[in-house]
Every structure is written in C-alpha cells, then in structure tokens.
Amino acid sequence: MASQTLRRRLTALLLTTLTAASMVACSGATGQPAAPSSSSTADAGQPKTGGTLTYLESATWNSLYPPAAGYYPNGGVVNNITDRLLYQNPQTLKLEPWIATSLPKVNKEATEYTFTIRDDVTYSDGTKLTAENVVKNIDLFGKGDNSRALAVSEAINNYQGGEVVNPTTVRFRFSKPSPGFEQAVSTITSGLVSDATLALDNDGFGPGNATKIVGSGPFVIDSEKIGTQISLKARPDYDWAPPSLQHQGRAYLDGITFVVAAENSVRTGSLTSGQGDIARQIEAPDEKSVKAAGLSIVSEPTNGVTNSIGLRFPSPLLSDIRTRQAIFAGIDRQAILTALFTDSYPLATSPLAKGAPGYKDESAAYVYDPAKATKLLDEAGWVAGSDGIRVKDGQRLSLTFNLALPQPRSADVITMIQEQLKQIGIEVTTIPGDWAAQVAASADLTKVQAYHSMVARADYDVIKSQYHSANRNVLQNLDSVSGKVNDPKLDALLEKVASSPQERDRAAATAAAQDYLTTQAYVLPLFEEPQVYGLQTYVQGFSTESVARPNLYSVWLNK
Amino acid sequence: MPIARRVASAVLVILLAFTATFILMQSLPGDGVLARYQNPELGLTPEQIEHLRSVYGVDRPVVAQYLSTISNYVRGDFGTSLQSGARITDLIATALPQTLVLAATGFVLAVALAAGIAFLATFPAMSRLKSAVRGLPPLFVSVPTFWVGILLIQVFSFGLGWVRVIGAEGIEALILPAITLAVPISAPLSQVLIRSLDEVQESPFVDVVRARGAGEWWVLTRNVAKNALLPTITIAGLLFGELVGGAVVTEAVFGRAGLGTLTSQAVANRDLPVIQAVVLLAAIGFVAINLIVDLLYPVIDPRLRKVRAA
C-alpha cells in the first residue's frame, strides 16, 4: 500500500519535473520574461465572472497610504483598490492613458506637466474623481504632511505644486527638471484616493481603519481582521480600466481575501493542499514542492536595482579600489545562485536588472577569479595574519554585512560569501538581530561596511534613489558625522539621470552611472530579484504591474 | 492587612515588570519610528525620518518618555502603535479574546493530558506501560512548540485534510493550535503530578488505606490524587508564563491574530507602546493567577484552612 502510494508520487513528481523542465526550455527559447499566465489563458476559454480568491501573503500590511505601497503587502491591496493617472504596460514598460485621457503635455525643461483627465470616474464612496481631487492627491504625495506624519512619495521629486486649469485639466510644477514624474503617477505609490481618505492622518491609513480607505479601483475594501486578513469585494459599476486592456468593466472575481500565512512551509503547504488560490513569495527551496503538486510558479521581474552588495568605499577598509576589486573577483556568484536559488533568479549582469530602463551589460567586471583577488589584496598591502585573515597597519580586513531581511535568503547568501571571502583572507561578520537592529546599524559606516539590498521601480530614477547621498545613501557616500559627500562625481552622475528632460539623455546618464558604479567597484550585483508566486492551475489571467505587484482585476477562476 | 500587603506587592511587581521592559527595549538598537520609516522601500531621507521621530516623541530623553508613558497610563490613555498607528486599546481588544480562548482550551487539554499521563504512569496495574509513559513528559518538554505546530499542520491539515488552516473558523481554527500549546504545558504538569503521586503512594497512610481493603483505583483517586494535587496547582499557576510564551509561537505558526502575534510583531518593530501594554497585561494576569492559586490552597487542603482560621 505504502509503496504503491510512493510509486504514484514518484511518477507524479517525475511528470511534473519534466513538464516544468519543458516549460523552462520554452520560456528560455523565446527569451521573454512576460507573464506566463497569459499563455495559459489562451486555451482556457472565455473568462468567467464570480468566485472569491484566497491570496496568501507572507506578512500583514501596515499602511494603505499610497506612498507607503512600495512595501509588497501594502502594495498588493493598494494596487487593486486604486487607479492612477497613467498606466505603465508591464510588458513594454511604456506609459499609456488611464485616468488621464492621454499622455501629459510636458514643457521643454520637464518642469511642468499638464494632464487632461476623465470626468466619468467615481470613488467607491460615491464622490466624483475631479480635477481638484487629483491635485489634492498629488499635492499630498509630492509634499507630504509632517503634522500628520505622512511622508513624501519617493517617486515624486522637486515638487512645487499643482493647479486646476479647468474641470478636466490639471497642471503640476517642479522646481527642477523632473522627468521621472510621468512614470511616478503610474505607480501604485500615486494611487488616487477620495477627498475623505486624503484627510486621514498616518494612523488613519493604518490597520483597524482599512474600510475607510476609498479608491476608484476595481475592488473595494470590505472588511479586515487586524494582523491576519483583509477582504476586498468587486465594484459592480467599475468601468474605467486602462483603455489598452482587453478586459473592460467590472473585475471577474467577486472578491479577494488576503490571508497572512507568515511561515513559509505553512504558506506553501496551504497552497499545495488547496486551501489557497495564489501565494506570494514562494521561497526558492519551496518551488519544487509547488511544481510537484502540479501548480504553476510565476516569477515576475522587478525591473529595478538588482539584489546587490554595496561596498561602502568611505570606510578605511574599503577605500582602496584594489580591495574592492578583490572582493568582486573573490565572490563566486554563480555558485551562490546554484546552491541557494532556482531558475526564477537570473544572475545579475549590472547594477540594474535587464528589464530596467537604461540597463547596460557590465557582466565582464564580475568574473570569479580567486587568484586575481589574492594578487590584488597583496598589492593593496594586506598581509595574511596568523589566523589567515589579512592585516594592514594593525587593522584586520574584517567586514560587517547587514542582513537584508526582506530579501530572499539574505542570511544564506551572506554565509556563502563569508566562506568564499575567507579563502582570500577577508573576514565577514554580520549584524545579528531583527529588522529594527539591522536598520539602526545599517546607517552607521563603522557598523556596516557592505550593504545588501535591492530596489524595485521601473524608472530611470531608481538608480539615483538607491545610490545618491541625499536619497537612500546606501553606500554611505554622505558622511553622517561631517555631512561631507565623499564622492561628488557619483552624485553628479546620478543627478543627471533624474534631471535630464530628454529620455535619450536619461538613458545615457543611466549607462554612465552603471559604468561608474562598476569601474569603481562600488556595487557587486548578485541576481535579479523576482517576485515568485504560486498559482492554482485554475487561476487565469494573473499578471503583475511593472514591479511585480499583483494585478487581480483580470483574474478569473476556471473551475 | 494581609490583603493590603498582597495588593501592594502586586502593584510593585507590575511596576517592576513595566520598568524592566522599558529599560530592556531602550537598550536595544533602533526605535519604533526608525524601524517603520527607515524601511528602504519607503526611501525617506534622514531629515524626514528625524522629523518623524520628533513628531512621535521618540527622540526625547528616556526618563521623559518613561514618565509621560506612566502618567498617560494612569489617565487610562494607552496610546497608539508606532508601527501601524492603530489605538492600542483596539489592538488588545481584538487580540485578547483570541488568545484567551486559545490559552484556556490549551490549558484544559494540557491538564487532561497531564492527568492521563500521570495516572497511567502511577497506576500499578499498568506497570508494563509505565516506563514508556514516563518518557513522555521529557519528550514533550524538549520538542519545540514551533515544530509541533508545523508537524500537526503538515499531517492533519495538508496531509489528511481534516482541518483547514486558511479560512478556518470556530473550533476548526482552534483545535490544532490548542493541541500545539497543550504539549509543552502538559509536560511539567504531568512530571510534578507523577512525582507527588509517587511520594504519596509511599506514605504510611496509604498503606493503612490499603490494609483496610481499598482497591488500587480507590486509593489512587480518593486518597493519593487529592494529596498530590497541591504542588501541581502551584505549578499550574507558574505555567501561566509558559502559556503566554507558547501562545507567541503557536499564533505565529497558525497565523492567529492574538496577543502572541501582536507581541512578536511589536518586538520586531520596537513598537514600545504596544509592548508596554502587553507586558502590563501579562503581569496583571500573572499576579491574578497566582492570587487565585493562593486562595485555592485552603479549599483543597483542609490543613491549610485550619491554620488560616486559627
């Protein structure tokens, strides 16, 4: 009996592995990262309306303030309850009309944007989406409101203010060229919400108040259980989907229930045992069991800064370029990917992902060559001490890495780097402790010299957000004590990305910034971080927005 | 007078627990506002974060924060969560009933389990089973709660499909977590019960009862058990702490929104106001349970009753 079951399981496993392998082969042949679910829709027939989808999340949402929607658990909800001025096609990353009836008129300097908006859109509380309301939205996101602890949106820079030109026309002004604004109003961090929602304070956007968050999107928040569950229901009168979509009118689903299943094995097991329809964040080791159960794995690219190690050059340990180059040559990235990840995680070839605007291949700089690494360290004057760790002027070559807790398997990645760098005489330690401890230590150059992180955003601006001293400052280019910028050239290059009015110039500036980060050996990219979803086979029409947050508008259940 | 003293010492215990938590949380790196807003996915500048810290008052001197928290508590204002902004009274009002139900069910199951183990281990007619059964408490106390939870889910939910984990309501949502919680709680209970049953079995009065012709079952249930109960009840009071700790893990594994989930999220996010409120609640619970245990002694043991009355 048992052996029979076992044999049946093995056969099933073999079959699914073969299917999976052939699928991988197919997608490899076309070279398209595009949504695999669209292909399955083709043979599934006409979409059916109805049913409630159970969506398994790894963490609970913590705010529905649109600029906070960069956090995936927040974004999953915000993306499905709000509309935006523009729609970024997730395949081409081109901007298309949505609430705005066409792309905006932009002045030559990219400091003034004029949008014409639809006049037939209503929020789910019955109020109209007006020009005044749109200006109020962007004013709040562009300026923030400190008295209500509402932050400025990361995507909107140099914002001066907006005005209503006439009932269907709005204009926004900027103090400096801000070419990233057009894409910014297409991201979920610029999701439009009603006047009453805009009046809430930070706490009002938090758990316990979800049903008061009102958007004009295809779904409406119906109920919440703090910390475990949030339920959305379809809006029957929704009729303003992006015009380029084939699907118009109401969503196919009647409702969505987001359920938190934080523990990885519980989330995966719930999916494979049929207790959920979609699960976000299937960890690499769990992909196999999802495929073995006959379910599909959808891996979507995040089109921004790749999962990388930033080498903080202002640290005396890393100030010599030869030391940094030695680290580049001393880390076997392919070995890390092979040991820890799956095909869903492509090897990175630049600080930016292949799908990111302005991407340039820099892979020649990341060749694993331990002999070269040893030679570079010798040249830089690092001499092996009694314990094998190199020393110079009495200082041990001991680097501390943060653990990027939101990123997949960060601790395992750093452990492998630790083993590899030990071979060339570099000691690696990590910051112990939870998220708050990581955050506190990471802002301090004396505590963390190598910073593991990534950013998802499908706009040229993303590289500046990550590396500019006045933004995330992940390289600690800005000395927090003296206020001095260590490498002004890096900042200048990044500013050009964000302030060149012409797209061609932004692309060129982005390429220059990637070149500089690579030739200076500031950033070692590891892999292109995807969002990995597990789907029941009857889930059709699943797609994601430009940085892989779920679009559930066109999803339907084929059962 | 003894009552006034007991109340005073209870208040002192609660205040000490509160203060100790405050000091411990302050000594950890990071604070609630940093943890929430320095999230790189939000991409705020250092100036913006500094401003937010002053809005929330976490940049004030530690003593000032401590005193203002206490004075707010005295006025009945428990504040809001730094992480979500939700009112703490709301958070606790949602979480507490969930945990109480889980803890109560888990505790009842644990007592039943412990009683079963102890009787099997001490009832002479079962001597062949004895050593196997006596091995259970050490086993139960050494398996991690986390692992027990996952194992139960894998077998009974994913494997056999008897209960759901996702979307379960009522008793279906309670059964596996309660068993998970009962396993580690039952271990010390049964161990103490076995030991005191053994001791009482060997005391002279039991021989007298036996000599009068009482059967083993009679001896165990009427004479031995009653006398062996006192240490067990004391342990039961102490186990309240274990119950709270077990709930943290159990709720995390099963995704239940109780006090345990609230606490673990709050600690990870340095959400001091939430932690303070939970610690206060736990301390009050602990003090109350131990008070009840104290009051139960004379009810169970007439000897103690006479001492009190005299």
Side-chain angles (χ1 to χ4, degrees):
Chain A
M1 179 68 192
S3 71
Q4 216 175 2
T5 322
L6 186 69
R7 204 176 311 143
R8 219 179 301 138
R9 283 217 185 121
L10 282 175
T11 321
L13 184 71
L14 185 69
L15 276 175
T16 40
T17 317
L18 283 174
T19 323
S22 61
M23 270 161 62
V24 168
C26 291
S27 65
T30 56
Q32 277 292 329
S37 47
S38 55
S39 60
S40 52
T41 318
D43 49 55
Q46 279 299 309
K48 292 180 200 140
T49 302
T52 299
L53 178 108
T54 302
Y55 180 103
L56 306 174
E57 250 299 350
S58 61
T60 178
W61 61 276
N62 57 31
S63 172
L64 296 178
Y65 177 52
Y71 181 52
Y72 278 83
N74 297 348
V77 178
V78 173
N79 192 31
N80 291 294
I81 63 164
T82 67
D83 298 322
R84 272 79 74 189
L85 285 175
L86 296 177
Y87 174 72
Q88 187 171 28
N89 185 317
Q91 263 86 57
T92 61
L93 300 186
K94 290 274 176 271
L95 297 169
E96 296 167 4
W98 193 354
I99 296 302
T101 53
S102 58
L103 294 183
K105 286 199 199 73
V106 189
N107 69 348
K108 218 170 58 232
E109 295 78 29
T111 55
E112 211 179 275
Y113 288 78
T114 311
F115 291 87
T116 306
I117 59 164
R118 297 176 69 130
D119 61 356
D120 57 345
V121 177
T122 58
Y123 287 106
S124 57
D125 62 359
T127 57
K128 253 181 89 80
L129 189 155
T130 60
E132 285 84 10
N133 166 266
V134 169
V135 169
K136 264 195 209 168
N137 268 282
I138 305 299
D139 272 354
L140 178 61
F141 305 156
K143 294 175 178 167
D145 185 346
N146 282 329
S147 67
R148 292 186 280 156
L150 293 174
V152 179
S153 165
E154 181 185 20
I156 303 178
N157 297 304
N158 316 318
Y159 186 72
Q160 264 186 335
E163 59 175 316
V164 175
V165 179
N166 65 46
T168 54
T169 312
V170 290
R171 185 174 296 144
F172 303 104
R173 289 206 171 79
F174 296 82
S175 59
K176 281 186 217 160
S178 303
F181 182 66
E182 218 172 317
Q183 192 266 349
V185 297
S186 79
T187 64
I188 49 179
T189 55
S190 302
L192 300 171
V193 291
S194 73
D195 285 346
T197 312
L198 288 171
L200 296 170
D201 61 6
N202 191 21
D203 300 350
F205 283 100
N209 208 31
T211 52
K212 302 231 172 65
I213 311 300
V214 171
S216 59
F219 291 95
V220 182
I221 296 175
D222 190 32
S223 65
E224 68 168 314
K225 288 188 196 160
I226 297 177
T228 52
Q229 200 170 310
I230 181 164
S231 300
L232 273 52
K233 59 170 192 251
R235 213 181 136 180
D237 58 341
Y238 184 78
D239 198 19
W240 38 86
S244 61
L245 292 186
Q246 216 184 349
H247 173 203
Q248 294 291 319
R250 62 156 284 178
Y252 296 132
L253 293 168
D254 287 336
I256 310 162
T257 310
F258 291 86
V259 183
V260 177
E263 167 51 33
N264 290 334
S265 65
V266 173
R267 196 166 58 255
T268 309
S270 301
L271 183 72
T272 53
S273 65
Q275 297 181 38
D277 303 310
I278 296 182
R280 187 181 77 87
Q281 205 177 327
I282 301 294
E283 298 292 343
D286 295 331
E287 283 188 26
K288 227 187 288 172
S289 69
V290 172
K291 285 181 182 160
L295 312 187
S296 42
I297 288 284
V298 174
S299 161
E300 295 286 342
T302 50
N303 299 323
V305 168
T306 46
N307 186 301
S308 323
I309 305 290
L311 300 178
R312 294 179 157 176
F313 56 90
S315 160
L317 291 169
L318 292 171
S319 55
D320 190 326
I321 187 172
R322 289 171 294 191
T323 314
R324 302 194 297 269
Q325 285 166 338
I327 294 171
F328 271 39
I331 294 178
D332 186 352
R333 305 179 309 146
Q334 187 57 57
I336 295 174
L337 279 189
T338 310
L340 300 177
F341 295 100
T342 63
D343 294 342
S344 302
Y345 300 74
L347 188 70
T349 51
S350 158
L352 292 180
K354 279 202 181 83
Y359 157 84
K360 186 180 173 198
D361 187 353
E362 306 277 356
S363 52
Y366 315 126
V367 179
Y368 174 58
D369 185 349
K372 182 180 155 201
T374 313
K375 193 164 151 267
L376 281 164
L377 288 174
D378 289 341
E379 283 169 15
W382 294 101
V383 184
S386 55
D387 57 352
I389 301 303
R390 291 168 185 265
V391 184
K392 183 165 83 173
D393 306 330
Q395 199 171 24
R396 275 161 60 84
L397 188 46
S398 173
L399 303 173
T400 305
F401 284 56
N402 70 310
L403 297 182
L405 297 181
Q407 269 50 68
R409 312 197 76 177
S410 176
D412 298 330
V413 170
I414 305 302
T415 306
M416 285 199 68
I417 290 179
Q418 191 173 37
E419 288 162 12
Q420 293 173 358
L421 290 185
K422 199 177 171 196
Q423 306 299 319
I424 58 169
I426 300 176
E427 182 179 64
V428 169
T429 59
T430 54
I431 294 288
D434 55 17
W435 174 242
Q438 299 292 338
V439 165
S442 295
D444 186 342
L445 187 59
T446 59
K447 291 194 178 130
V448 170
Q449 292 87 38
Y451 188 74
H452 188 197
S453 65
M454 68 80 72
V455 199
R457 185 187 164 190
D459 186 70
Y460 294 102
D461 279 5
V462 71
I463 195 166
K464 180 196 170 239
S465 291
Q466 175 81 333
Y467 296 113
H468 194 278
S469 65
N471 295 104
R472 297 188 184 201
N473 192 29
V474 303
L475 296 173
Q476 290 290 305
N477 191 12
L478 175 76
D479 188 315
S480 53
V481 183
S482 68
K484 189 182 96 172
V485 174
N486 281 285
D487 185 350
K489 191 175 172 205
L490 175 62
D491 273 6
L493 280 168
L494 294 169
E495 276 156 25
K496 228 170 151 190
V497 173
S499 63
S500 303
Q502 296 300 322
E503 171 148 15
R504 202 180 48 224
D505 299 335
R506 299 181 80 195
T510 304
Q514 291 166 79
D515 284 343
Y516 190 71
L517 288 170
T518 311
T519 52
Q520 292 295 312
Y522 285 168
V523 174
L524 178 66
L526 300 174
F527 57 87
E528 299 193 2
E529 189 175 319
Q531 280 290 313
V532 182
Y533 295 87
L535 263 63
Q536 299 287 356
T537 44
Y538 54 75
V539 173
Q540 301 291 326
F542 177 77
S543 67
T544 59
E545 48 81 88
S546 60
V547 293
R549 290 174 190 96
N551 276 334
L552 302 174
Y553 169 59
S554 300
V555 167
W556 58 282
L557 304 176
N558 189 23
K559 63 173 181 184
Chain B
M1 189 60 198
I3 293 204
R5 250 177 68 190
R6 190 166 281 174
V7 170
S9 79
V11 171
L12 186 69
V13 166
I14 291 168
L15 189 68
L16 283 176
F18 185 82
T19 311
T21 322
F22 194 88
I23 295 172
L24 283 174
M25 291 308 296
Q26 290 292 342
S27 63
L28 285 174
D31 61 49
V33 174
L34 279 185
R36 177 172 179 190
Y37 290 104
Q38 213 169 64
N39 186 341
E41 290 183 21
L42 296 176
L44 299 181
T45 64
E47 293 86 54
Q48 288 172 325
I49 290 168
E50 256 334 288
H51 184 91
L52 286 167
R53 291 186 73 215
S54 75
V55 169
Y56 281 106
V58 296
D59 60 342
R60 290 176 301 158
V62 175
V63 176
Q65 290 189 48
Y66 177 72
L67 291 178
S68 76
T69 315
I70 289 198
S71 81
N72 286 341
Y73 269 49
V74 171
R75 284 187 285 117
D77 174 10
F78 295 92
T80 57
S81 154
L82 284 181
Q83 179 65 16
S84 65
R87 289 209 353 240
I88 288 172
T89 36
D90 289 350
L91 289 176
I92 289 186
T94 335
L96 186 61
Q98 293 270 351
T99 304
L100 283 184
V101 171
L102 173 63
T105 322
F107 190 74
V108 169
L109 273 179
V111 169
L113 197 59
I117 292 174
F119 278 80
L120 280 181
T122 48
F123 197 58
M126 299 281 185
S127 57
R128 262 185 297 171
L129 264 177
K130 237 179 201 173
S131 63
V133 174
R134 278 174 187 243
L136 284 180
L139 177 73
F140 282 4
V141 84
S142 26
V143 289
T145 315
F146 190 75
W147 182 80
V148 173
I150 299 222
L151 192 74
L152 289 175
I153 291 180
Q154 291 288 354
V155 174
F156 294 103
S157 182
F158 300 162
L160 299 169
W162 290 354
V163 283
R164 288 173 301 169
V165 178
I166 304 297
E169 300 281 343
I171 191 95
E172 189 184 16
L174 198 60
I175 182 105
L176 291 185
I179 297 174
T180 310
L181 194 56
V183 166
I185 305 286
S186 70
L189 270 181
S190 53
Q191 208 143 26
V192 169
L193 195 54
I194 290 172
R195 190 168 313 143
S196 52
L197 283 175
D198 283 349
E199 271 167 26
V200 179
Q201 289 268 27
E202 278 158 24
S203 42
F205 85 90
V206 175
D207 291 334
V208 173
V209 178
R210 278 210 187 90
R212 287 186 174 178
E216 284 304 335
W217 181 249
W218 177 279
V219 171
L220 186 60
T221 52
R222 300 294 171 89
N223 303 102
V224 175
K226 223 172 162 185
N227 283 289
L229 218 52
L230 264 193
T232 315
I233 293 214
T234 313
I235 275 286
L238 293 176
L239 278 177
F240 178 76
E242 193 104 354
L243 211 56
V244 173
V248 171
V249 179
T250 311
E251 289 177 352
V253 173
F254 288 88
R256 286 174 65 89
L259 276 187
T261 308
L262 192 65
T263 314
S264 60
Q265 282 172 3
V267 171
N269 295 314
R270 302 288 182 278
D271 200 341
L272 192 60
V274 174
I275 299 170
Q276 293 285 38
V278 172
V279 166
L280 190 72
L281 203 64
I284 292 173
F286 205 84
V287 167
I289 296 259
N290 281 288
L291 192 66
I292 293 171
V293 169
D294 275 2
L295 296 176
L296 270 181
Y297 283 156
V299 178
I300 294 162
D301 193 333
R303 287 169 297 183
L304 292 172
R305 218 175 312 166
K306 275 174 202 149
V307 172
R308 288 276 153 86

